[in-house]
Amino acid sequence: MKLTPDGAQKLIHSLEEDRKQLVDQINKLAIFVVAVSEGDPEELRPEFDFTATVDAIRSIDEKIRKIKHGRNVFNTTTFLPEESITVDEALVLMATLNNNYGYFADLGNRQPKTRNRTQYKGDIEYTYTNYNIGEAKKLAKDMYERILEIQSKLNLVNSTYNFEINL
């Protein structure tokens, strides 16, 4: 079966929903309550095949495992267009850039000199930046643009590239 990474994610989500319904079925039908006045519990026992339900869950789990493994192999062997990094490396880079972007954006938004608020009457104190605010702004802007660039290439790969899995 050929899938795009986006298609694989949708298939995984669908299989997880199917699995959840089977688990809900077990939770609902694994036990039942019968009042003494209702009659013979064997006659009132709801239809439920525990073994078949567990086998269906195992089958779904196996499919999910195969799809996720196929996607992982794809991510570690497929390079982004016009980049020398794999999809996996791009995902790690995106996480790093997103983590660092906010910090450097905050540094770029500071004022060179800020008056400190003190509770006592005395000397007025100021806090000064010890770096070039313009450099911090540029660094944050460059990070943001790189995030957008990589995300665009990831979107292209996720929606147009295929990988093969054997279900």
Side-chain angles (χ1 to χ4, degrees):
M1 167 186 275
K2 282 191 173 204
L3 291 170
T4 64
D6 282 344
Q9 187 58 38
K10 288 178 179 136
L11 182 54
I12 289 168
H13 180 73
S14 173
L15 289 167
E16 287 173 341
E17 284 297 314
D18 293 346
R19 185 186 192 287
K20 181 183 178 301
Q21 288 178 4
L22 290 170
V23 170
D24 288 347
Q25 184 180 24
I26 288 175
N27 290 334
K28 186 171 145 184
L29 298 174
I31 60 170
F32 68 104
V33 177
V34 176
V36 174
S37 62
E38 289 181 290
D40 183 9
E42 290 307 315
E43 292 176 9
L44 299 169
R45 181 179 300 278
E47 290 287 322
F48 175 58
D49 187 338
F50 179 79
T51 303
T53 306
V54 169
D55 288 345
I57 290 171
R58 285 183 179 148
S59 175
I60 290 171
D61 288 344
E62 177 75 8
K63 287 177 185 175
I64 291 171
R65 183 188 60 77
K66 286 181 178 183
I67 295 166
K68 286 183 175 184
H69 174 70
R71 185 182 57 195
N72 287 344
V73 170
F74 172 85
N75 285 349
T76 58
T77 59
T78 304
F79 286 83
L80 288 185
E82 303 167 14
E83 297 283 342
S84 60
I85 59 174
T86 64
V87 170
D88 181 64
E89 289 173 297
L91 293 171
V92 173
L93 177 58
M94 287 285 290
T96 303
L97 288 170
N98 278 314
N99 188 40
N100 291 335
Y101 168 73
Y103 176 72
F104 288 106
D106 287 345
L107 288 175
N109 288 326
R110 290 190 180 169
Q111 297 298 313
K113 174 181 167 182
T114 306
R115 182 175 177 174
N116 293 338
R117 303 283 178 210
T118 58
Q119 295 180 1
Y120 67 93
K121 306 269 189 227
D123 288 342
I124 297 173
E125 293 180 336
Y126 289 91
T127 300
Y128 298 86
T129 56
N130 195 23
Y131 60 92
N132 184 316
I133 292 173
E135 285 181 36
K137 278 186 182 184
K138 180 170 180 356
L139 181 60
K141 182 178 184 257
D142 291 347
M143 282 181 178
Y144 185 74
E145 288 173 358
R146 184 69 173 140
I147 290 168
L148 293 178
E149 178 184 20
I150 292 171
Q151 187 61 61
S152 174
K153 291 176 181 180
L154 282 170
N155 290 345
L156 175 70
V157 169
N158 284 333
S159 62
T160 61
Y161 287 39
N162 289 304
F163 63 94
E164 186 82 29
I165 55 168
N166 216 358
L167 291 182

